[in-house]
Amino acid sequence: MKSLCVYCGSSFGNKSIYTNAARSLAKEMVEQNIALVYGGGNVGLMGVIANEILRLGGEATGVIPQALMDKEVGHNQLTHLHVVKDMHERKAMMAELSDGFIAMPGGIGTLEELFEILTWSQLGFHEKPIGVLNVDGFYDGLIAFLQNQVAQGFVKANQADLMMHETNAADLLRRLQTFVPQPSTKVLDSLAAKTLLP
């Protein structure tokens, strides 16, 4: 794994543990020579992880829409900064540049990015590992909700398993590094096998 996309908040949250977790993830990534790909901001946890990666001598690539650059929230000290036209192009480029994905604590945008990349994996559009860093139980409710979707018959168990989760960065990176895609998780392949697709 050479690069990792990290989704996280443009706010710090109200606990110092979130900032500390971002720095810990940055340290683990640099020690494993994994470059950061992220949303290009210099605010909140986004800024924390990017600054820590750079401070430790790692590489950080940001992808940010022009509208957000115009609001002066872009990080101008990155290894690479791509300014794109909109959020769709941003997310597509981040996915293309990354070998895996981690969601740290964040807001609605973080959740939207996480579930889009999970959907792409479920549909077989990529086979890259996805995890959430469950800092101080932040994602406990989401993990339980996903299991409820399985229990209610809307999500298959192997699809829910696509979202790996750990409470510390080292364990999560270890799982992402050893991830082996399971062909049975591919909805498109199963549909094609039923001749629903050409």
Side-chain angles (χ1 to χ4, degrees):
M1 181 176 292
K2 296 180 179 179
S3 60
L4 186 62
C5 178
V6 177
Y7 306 127
C8 58
S10 58
S11 299
F12 295 103
N14 57 16
K15 297 180 182 179
S16 61
I17 194 170
Y18 300 135
T19 298
N20 293 338
R23 292 192 177 115
S24 294
L25 177 57
K27 179 176 180 290
E28 292 290 339
M29 289 174 62
V30 171
E31 287 179 353
Q32 297 184 37
N33 199 29
I34 300 173
L36 171 69
V37 176
Y38 83 118
N42 195 23
V43 292
L45 294 185
M46 297 173 70
V48 170
I49 191 168
N51 287 332
E52 190 69 2
I53 289 276
L54 295 170
R55 187 185 74 81
L56 295 171
E59 293 189 5
T61 295
V63 185
I64 190 168
Q66 183 67 59
L68 292 182
M69 276 300 292
D70 293 342
K71 291 183 179 180
E72 299 182 351
V73 298
H75 197 310
N76 292 311
Q77 306 299 320
L78 300 174
T79 313
H80 306 285
L81 179 63
H82 302 278
V83 181
V84 296
K85 64 179 181 179
D86 56 33
M87 293 293 287
H88 296 292
E89 187 175 347
R90 178 198 215 180
K91 290 183 291 184
M93 180 176 286
M94 288 166 67
E96 182 180 349
L97 293 172
S98 304
D99 297 322
F101 308 88
I102 285 180
M104 285 199 61
I108 293 172
T110 299
L111 292 176
E112 188 267 341
E113 290 170 319
L114 170 62
F115 275 96
E116 181 169 71
I117 208 66
L118 278 168
T119 301
W120 290 359
S121 179
Q122 176 186 330
L123 294 174
F125 295 159
H126 73 83
E127 294 184 332
K128 301 174 182 180
I130 304 164
V132 298
L133 189 54
N134 190 21
V135 181
D136 197 34
F138 182 85
Y139 280 114
D140 283 354
L142 181 63
I143 293 165
F145 182 77
L146 193 58
Q147 290 304 312
N148 185 58
Q149 288 182 296
V150 174
Q152 298 303 321
F154 288 98
V155 175
K156 291 181 175 17
N158 58 3
Q159 294 167 352
D161 290 343
L162 291 170
M163 190 183 84
M164 295 176 278
H165 50 89
E166 294 290 345
T167 58
N168 69 79
D171 289 342
L172 186 58
L173 284 180
R174 191 176 305 112
R175 289 190 64 186
L176 266 62
Q177 292 271 31
T178 58
F179 171 75
V180 177
Q182 300 297 319
S184 59
T185 65
K186 292 185 178 181
V187 171
L188 291 185
D189 284 355
S190 63
L191 288 175
K194 295 177 182 177
T195 69
L196 295 177
L197 293 176

